Amino acid sequence: MLLVGSGSINMAQRENSLSRRNAASRRSFVKGLGAAAILPALTALPRWSFAEDAAAAYANASIDWKQFAGQTIALAGAIHPWSNAITPLLPEFTKLTGITVDAEFQLETTFMGALPIRLARGSNTPDVFMFTTYGQGISAGWLEPLNHYYSQRSLTDLGWYDENDLLKTARAFPLWSDGERYAVPITSEAMTLFINKDALAARNLPVPQTFDELLATAKAVKTSEMSGIAMRAQASFNSCPPALGFVFSYGGAMIKDNKAAFASPEAIAAVEMYGQLLSQAGPFGAGSYEWYHVLDDFLQGRTAMAIDSSNFATDISNPAKSRVAGQAGFATFPHLEGRAPVPFMSHWQACINSKSRNKRPAFLFLLWATSKPTSLRTAAAGLATTRVSAWSSEGFKRAFGAEAAEAALTNLQDADVDRAKAILFHPKSNLILDAFMIGVNEVVNGAKSAKDAMIGAAEQANAAIRG
């Protein structure tokens, strides 16, 4: 799934090594979207380009949008591509419904640290919030079950909402073991390899595909002013996504039979490679890196490669934000020789507080926020939504980049939803991932070997699981 931006880099070499992969990726792009009757959908997409057209699209729903006029809902979340895309549209939601949205978005680490404390205290606000630790939220009773809202005719027009337009992963992701839904997916993302093509071209190097090639390339391009690769390594659960992709791609898992599985030989080998990359070719202070450090280094040309969320593509390709917009490339997640890549994927989700006093207007907000017309507009701002129609729209391809979109989708296709859900939906996911990332951080900083770090991390995680 190599998807590169404008500019040139050793085209003969790149075509040699990647043409077959790219051809397969392009052939599978539409198929990979995974919704029913996709081809007709792509040829008959609604052209809601302006607010007036969107207003007409909402009017087509058999929903009384004004039924909660005068009420206020509190929305909380992380500063994130979704919050950036939805915020400018909130006044239009208020105009449509008469519902005021009191929104508060914080740095991701701050938000994710504070929200569980607030919910555990039984606060009835926020009414709606971005959420990732699904299992913890369900087991603690923080999340409102949503299935019955979908069946309320006064609140939901399922024909208009068209769940078949959702990506397969988005339809499957929020389903709990009993078929109940406690969340609505709001974004789609997978770990992606970002390339500064000029940095690789200066060394006459092709885009790496295997982990061994990634390490060799990162070491070769590292200079006193530019790291070879940047990835998250902070000792916190929020830093886990890139490292999880390494574990999965090496054949490992995070949870098996309700026990931590990352003391396995596969996971140890994966973490050892992760540590080698960052200790030998990473930036100074790599052990303190969160996603925003990774993104900033790539935008400023301080790293030749990076692995993180596909949602970074919007900023990376934006000349107003990125010094490397014209030389940025987007590639498949690396793989182990003889194995297929298994990048970590996820959908940020939005949930309703089970203690909320405004559950029905909160659900109406979620319905609006993830509907076709709203998704087309947020996609035009570069958001990787959960909708086939949005992914296929010209607005999204312009904002996100057609090649970056293809790369993201390929990584989504290569991902293992079940392995991702096994850890994300575990009731103790935060504690398990904290233990794991403490171990990863120890390896990156050279404090422990991968074997010792992962054995210790798994023991700590299992103690947390036992309670």
Side-chain angles (χ1 to χ4, degrees):
M1 126 192 147
L2 179 70
L3 300 170
V4 293
S6 58
S8 62
I9 174 174
N10 230 340
M11 290 300 294
Q13 283 184 314
R14 188 176 67 196
E15 288 173 5
N16 242 1
S17 60
L18 298 172
S19 60
R20 285 178 295 179
R21 174 73 165 169
N22 282 341
S25 175
R26 292 187 184 98
R27 284 195 300 269
S28 62
F29 182 78
V30 172
K31 180 180 178 182
L33 293 171
I38 286 176
L39 290 178
L42 298 189
T43 57
L45 288 177
R47 301 182 181 276
W48 295 307
S49 302
F50 304 98
E52 295 81 3
D53 298 319
Y58 300 125
N60 289 333
S62 296
I63 296 171
D64 177 6
W65 292 106
K66 295 289 188 182
Q67 60 188 298
F68 306 114
Q71 297 192 34
T72 298
I73 59 171
L75 168 65
I79 297 172
H80 179 276
W82 183 77
S83 57
N84 293 340
I86 204 69
T87 296
L89 304 184
L90 295 179
E92 294 177 23
F93 173 74
T94 298
K95 182 178 179 181
L96 175 69
T97 65
I99 300 169
T100 299
V101 181
D102 184 4
E104 180 183 8
F105 298 110
Q106 302 170 288
L107 286 175
E108 189 169 322
T109 50
T110 302
F111 168 70
M112 293 180 73
L115 181 66
I117 297 172
R118 194 169 176 182
L119 296 175
R121 289 174 177 169
S123 174
N124 56 32
T125 60
D127 300 292
V128 180
F129 46 85
M130 295 170 64
F131 205 62
T132 57
T133 52
Y134 205 44
Q136 179 191 24
I138 293 171
S139 63
W142 298 338
L143 311 184
E144 176 73 2
L146 301 181
N147 279 1
H148 70 285
Y149 292 99
Y150 284 96
S151 63
Q152 295 181 27
R153 291 186 179 180
S154 63
L155 193 59
T156 308
D157 182 346
L158 288 177
W160 175 83
Y161 188 69
D162 190 9
E163 290 188 287
N164 283 334
D165 184 49
L166 296 172
L167 298 170
K168 277 185 178 179
T169 53
R171 296 201 299 270
F173 204 73
L175 292 177
W176 196 238
S177 56
D178 61 358
E180 181 62 79
R181 285 176 287 189
Y182 295 84
V184 177
I186 55 176
T187 66
S188 305
E189 58 188 302
M191 292 298 106
T192 294
L193 174 62
F194 306 113
I195 302 292
N196 184 319
K197 294 183 293 180
D198 286 0
L200 270 64
R203 297 278 185 168
N204 200 32
L205 292 168
V207 175
Q209 296 188 53
T210 68
F211 289 112
D212 286 339
E213 290 171 357
L214 184 68
L215 178 59
T217 302
K219 291 166 67 175
V221 298
K222 180 178 171 64
T223 68
S224 59
E225 297 180 348
M226 176 183 282
S227 67
I229 189 167
M231 298 184 292
R232 309 185 207 186
Q234 201 174 96
S236 165
F237 72 91
N238 197 51
S239 292
C240 70
L244 294 184
F246 276 63
V247 171
F248 296 162
S249 294
Y250 270 74
M254 294 298 293
I255 293 290
K256 190 173 182 180
D257 300 326
N258 199 34
K259 292 181 181 178
F262 41 84
S264 68
E266 294 84 3
I268 289 170
V271 172
E272 183 175 9
M273 173 58 75
Y274 201 83
Q276 287 178 349
L277 281 160
L278 290 177
S279 62
Q280 297 177 28
F284 178 78
S288 66
Y289 266 49
E290 241 297 341
W291 68 265
Y292 38 87
H293 301 110
V294 175
L295 176 58
D296 189 55
D297 273 14
F298 195 84
L299 294 178
Q300 300 305 320
R302 292 194 297 261
T303 188
M305 297 183 292
I307 292 179
D308 214 291
S309 170
S310 52
N311 285 342
F312 286 5
T314 306
D315 285 343
I316 288 171
S317 300
N318 183 350
K321 296 182 178 181
S322 173
R323 293 183 178 182
V324 299
Q327 66 224 48
F330 306 89
T332 53
F333 194 82
H335 63 89
L336 190 64
E337 193 70 47
R339 282 185 174 271
V342 187
F344 175 77
M345 61 74 60
S346 66
H347 294 283
W348 262 98
Q349 304 193 92
C351 302
I352 296 175
N353 186 346
S354 63
K355 301 293 193 300
S356 169
R357 296 170 182 167
N358 305 295
K359 294 175 183 177
R360 283 165 59 80
F363 183 81
L364 192 64
F365 169 79
L366 290 180
L367 199 77
W368 168 84
T370 58
S371 66
K372 279 186 180 181
T374 305
S375 294
L376 282 171
R377 300 190 66 201
T378 54
L383 182 70
T385 73
T386 59
R387 291 223 169 239
V388 172
S389 51
W391 272 78
S392 309
S393 67
E394 290 304 314
F396 177 65
K397 292 175 183 177
R398 282 194 301 270
F400 198 80
E403 292 177 331
E406 188 177 335
L409 185 62
T410 302
N411 280 331
L412 282 167
Q413 289 174 278
D414 288 342
D416 186 329
V417 177
D418 290 336
R419 265 192 280 187
K421 287 176 67 172
I423 179 59
L424 291 180
F425 289 10
H426 194 284
K428 301 290 183 66
S429 61
N430 281 11
L431 296 176
I432 297 167
L433 291 171
D434 268 341
F436 172 69
M437 284 308 300
I438 288 170
V440 171
N441 181 268
E442 290 171 335
V443 176
V444 170
N445 289 331
K448 289 184 180 180
S449 69
K451 182 176 180 180
D452 289 345
M454 287 300 99
I455 289 174
E459 289 175 352
Q460 183 179 347
N462 285 325
I465 290 171
R466 291 191 299 267

